[in-house]
Amino acid sequence: MGPDGDLVETRLARGCRCFGVRREGELAGYGWLSTGSEWIGELELEIKPGAGEAYIWNCFTLSNHRRRGVLRALLAGIRARAQAEGRKRVWIGSVAIPAERAFGPSGFNPALAMTAVKIAGLHWLQVRPADGADPALVSAAHEVIATNPGWHLRRSRRRRH
């Protein structure tokens, strides 16, 4: 897990779970599932899933397995497991990355669209409803990340989790 490898024990101790995808006998990708609060590093926000909810984060596909559906399979698998365990909603977040194309086919509906910019020690975050998003889903998303629509500016905070 690269530079985050030293955080695995801490994550497991607080109840996070790690899931992996194997291809051709080797690890192809992994991702984490949490039911408690987690820091979203790219957005510099904390997400607090509600009762019966979970959050998928820190997903990664190893380079020699990219563009082969690993992320799509990983997300669908984690989501299915969480739902089988009674989770009524599973959140995932990202910032305009190509891998977002795997979200829809894995069963996710966009709620919010965000743009994050770091300049001179400041973090600017724009939060807006995703195109065509269900208003109830948008409202729930604002609640779990405790933010409102619009631009937010604050001092940048790096946090390892």
Side-chain angles (χ1 to χ4, degrees):
M1 294 189 174
D4 292 337
D6 63 329
L7 298 175
V8 171
E9 191 173 318
T10 303
R11 291 174 179 178
L12 293 172
R14 71 174 186 258
C16 304
R17 291 188 289 164
C18 189
F19 293 82
V21 171
R22 296 184 69 80
R23 274 188 91 243
E24 300 169 2
E26 63 183 35
L27 182 66
Y30 61 85
W32 289 87
L33 179 70
S34 295
T35 56
S37 297
E38 289 296 340
W39 181 250
I40 306 173
E42 313 89 294
L43 301 175
E44 294 193 9
L45 288 174
E46 190 166 351
I47 185 169
K48 296 178 182 179
E53 298 181 343
Y55 171 58
I56 297 175
W57 57 286
N58 197 207
C59 296
F60 186 80
T61 301
L62 283 83
S63 59
N64 56 331
H65 295 282
R66 289 189 181 142
R67 304 181 72 61
R68 295 190 173 132
V70 171
L71 179 60
R72 186 174 298 151
L74 176 69
L75 295 176
I78 295 173
R79 183 176 168 271
R81 179 67 168 272
Q83 288 180 327
E85 293 172 355
R87 301 290 165 194
K88 65 181 189 263
R89 182 177 287 146
V90 181
W91 297 101
I92 190 166
S94 73
V95 179
I97 57 172
E100 285 179 343
R101 289 188 300 262
F103 292 4
S106 300
F108 291 90
N109 297 313
L112 301 176
M114 300 185 193
T115 303
V117 179
K118 291 181 188 178
I119 300 173
L122 297 174
H123 179 78
W124 288 45
L125 179 69
Q126 180 188 32
V127 181
R128 62 195 181 285
D131 292 339
D134 176 335
L137 185 60
V138 169
S139 178
H142 281 298
E143 188 174 316
V144 299
I145 61 169
T147 192
N148 296 314
W151 279 98
H152 305 271
L153 175 65
R154 67 174 164 244
R155 186 170 288 162
S156 184
R157 302 177 288 185
R158 185 173 178 337
R159 188 170 136 190
R160 294 183 75 219
H161 61 104

